[in-house]
Amino acid sequence: MARLALLSVSNKTGIVDLARRLVEEFNFDLISSGGTAQTLKNAGLPVTKVADYTGSPEILGGRVKTLHPRIHGGILARRDLPQHLTDLENNQIRPIDLVVVNLYPFQETIAKPGVTLSEAVEQIDIGGPAMLRAASKNFPHVTVLCDPADYETYLQELGQNNSTTSLEFRQKCALKGFSHTASYDQAIAAYLSQQSQDTLPQQYNLSGQQLQSLRYGENPHQPAAWYQTGTTPTGWAAAIKLQGKELSYNNLVDLEAARRIIAEFTDTPAVTIIKHTNPCGVAVGSTLVKAYQKAFNADPVSAFGGIVALNRPIDAATAQELTKTFLECVVAPGCEIEAQEILAAKSKLRILTLADLSNGPKDTVKAIVQRAVTKAIAGGFLVQAADDTMTDTTAWQVVTEGQPTPDQLAELLFAWKVCKHVKSNAIVITNDQTTLGVGAGQMNRVGSVKIALEQAGAKAQGAVLASDGFFPFDDSVRTAADAGITAIVQPGGSLRDQDSINAANELGLVMVLTGMRHFLH
């Protein structure tokens, strides 16, 4: 007796070829619903519509069609239990050996501009997940396929195992089925959370599809993989690699750190060079090549082996500069043909283009739950909203007798934007909208100030200083003034703010309080 396969797919890639081989090579009968049945019929394949098989018509505009005992009984029946087989026979139900289902395109629908809530809700599949879960539960007897990429592997299994599949294969397919429905439900929950006014939901779910297995994580003994969220590639999943070796875990972490900094600058050509997620050089310039030269010269020692992000397409002049030192990765919105030819000389250098480098967590979707940042801790994880608040200088407060000039205010804004992306305790010294010294990740702010000033050296004369946290004592203000710093921007908020303000007034410094801190741990 022919075996029975149920085919009901939204993504019809490869379905006709699969169905034809099931019928012609492996003696399957086909039942199908809706558009899939019509597709198979148009291809000249023998197919029975679900409504004809169950004797129940599709109702509610297609909302109910596969939710029927003849469908779910055939999927869920255990072939090793006589009572189950008796129930099938008494109810004229054929056992279903293969379930091929993928779900309504919910994630693709909500990714469209202007989609309404009602349009999104209509793309919430009910029958599909029910069949996927039923077939996945009964994997000892049923094979479930939810990914067209698995069709050929399934056919190979049939060919190698006397027209059946191994238990190991069925179990792997079941895992994929449950993962698919879990991801689908997570997308729906996240979307509906977006419609509410809750800051963060009571239950937080995270899912992704493995995009690439990585050689290792931060260190060679740590396995790692790269996952994509959603069905439509965004962010780094949408980047184009023009040349170079495969991306590593650390490359991707550093690239994201570089993207977040470069997203702060849109009006003027800007470049950042990253080392271990901290900027070792950031600059803006009248041209891209000038911005790169300034960023590189800010700390050429640390720039060796760095990650470079540029906010303009790479031109030939900039490409020539990029080839003068060893770099791990370069990313820009585009790359001119002549620049590509120049960069090809560095064949191992990873060159990526990402059309919109500003499109990060804050823009992927509007919901705060999707802008969240997660960190694993023992027994669970932490979730917080991304620190993507745009800087508003109108909210800044000048607290010293000295007032900043327009040029100083612009420089302070530049330094503050960079400081936001440096590991705490963070100190950034800049001039001519170029980083001169960066103190990162120290256990006390005095240490970060010392490191940043030592790196800036004589260039600190006339420069400005940004601090991601307040100064609880006036010692760092005095140290900065001794090195030639003329203006300081910091969040304020210490009980002893006045001590620092008094020191600034005494020493002739300008001090601006932002009212917002940017700790980065």
Side-chain angles (χ1 to χ4, degrees), residues 236 254-274 279 281-285 288 291-292 295 307-313 331-333 354-360 362 390 414 417-418 420-421:
W236 295 110
D254 283 335
L255 281 167
E256 176 59 13
R259 187 202 63 75
R260 288 176 181 270
I261 293 180
I262 212 67
E264 298 278 358
F265 305 99
T266 56
D267 297 335
T268 308
V271 174
T272 183
I273 305 174
I274 294 290
V282 183
V284 299
L288 191 66
Y292 174 76
I307 306 289
V308 178
L310 314 97
N311 71 346
R312 298 288 189 273
V331 63
L354 183 56
D356 187 1
L357 284 164
S358 67
N359 186 14
K362 66 183 181 183
M390 299 303 292
F414 173 84
K417 286 182 174 181
V418 176
K420 173 181 174 181
H421 300 278

Side-chain angles (χ1 to χ4, degrees), residues 11 59 139 141 182 255 278 375 411 432 479 488:
N11 177 3
I59 62 173
F139 71 85
H141 309 282
L255 281 167
N278 280 306
K375 288 199 177 192
E411 193 68 43
D432 190 27
T479 301
I488 293 174

Side-chain angles (χ1 to χ4, degrees), residues 184-412:
Y184 193 76
D185 286 340
Q186 187 273 334
I188 295 168
Y191 175 76
L192 293 178
S193 176
Q194 175 184 335
Q195 311 307 308
S196 73
Q197 299 302 313
D198 294 338
T199 301
L200 289 171
Q202 291 300 306
Q203 185 161 352
Y204 185 87
N205 301 301
L206 183 66
S207 69
Q209 177 69 34
Q210 188 175 128
L211 191 65
Q212 182 179 326
S213 177
L214 303 173
R215 285 182 62 198
Y216 51 80
E218 286 181 291
N219 299 290
H221 63 277
Q222 296 172 268
W226 176 8
Y227 291 82
Q228 171 188 316
T229 55
T231 56
T232 302
T234 59
W236 295 110
I240 298 171
K241 186 161 74 74
L242 300 180
Q243 68 171 56
K245 299 185 294 183
E246 289 297 320
L247 292 167
S248 71
Y249 177 96
N250 289 333
N251 290 158
L252 288 160
V253 171
D254 283 335
L255 281 167
E256 176 59 13
R259 187 202 63 75
R260 288 176 181 270
I261 293 180
I262 212 67
E264 298 278 358
F265 305 99
T266 56
D267 297 335
T268 308
V271 174
T272 183
I273 305 174
I274 294 290
K275 204 68 175 289
H276 302 300
T277 73
N278 280 306
C280 56
V282 183
V284 299
S286 57
T287 65
L288 191 66
V289 67
K290 288 181 179 178
Y292 174 76
Q293 290 168 335
K294 289 168 67 178
F296 179 83
N297 291 329
D299 186 356
V301 174
S302 298
F304 182 85
I307 306 289
V308 178
L310 314 97
N311 71 346
R312 298 288 189 273
I314 305 170
D315 54 27
T318 307
Q320 289 284 7
E321 293 295 316
L322 290 167
T323 61
K324 291 181 179 180
T325 192
F326 169 67
L327 299 169
E328 285 281 352
C329 305
V330 176
V331 63
C335 187
E336 297 176 3
I337 297 298
E338 188 178 355
Q340 288 186 46
E341 294 171 351
I342 294 168
L343 292 166
K346 293 272 190 175
S347 60
K348 294 182 179 180
L349 173 60
R350 303 164 179 90
I351 305 293
L352 294 91
T353 59
L354 183 56
D356 187 1
L357 284 164
S358 67
N359 186 14
K362 66 183 181 183
D363 296 320
T364 302
V365 291
K366 297 176 183 177
I368 196 167
V369 65
Q370 291 296 329
R371 292 163 45 204
V373 178
T374 62
K375 288 199 177 192
I377 60 172
F381 56 90
L382 307 175
V383 179
Q384 67 170 347
D387 185 11
D388 55 21
T389 302
M390 299 303 292
T391 302
D392 179 12
T393 56
T394 62
W396 288 8
Q397 181 184 7
V398 180
V399 292
T400 49
E401 296 166 0
Q403 299 292 306
T405 66
D407 285 346
Q408 274 185 320
L409 190 60
E411 193 68 43
L412 289 167

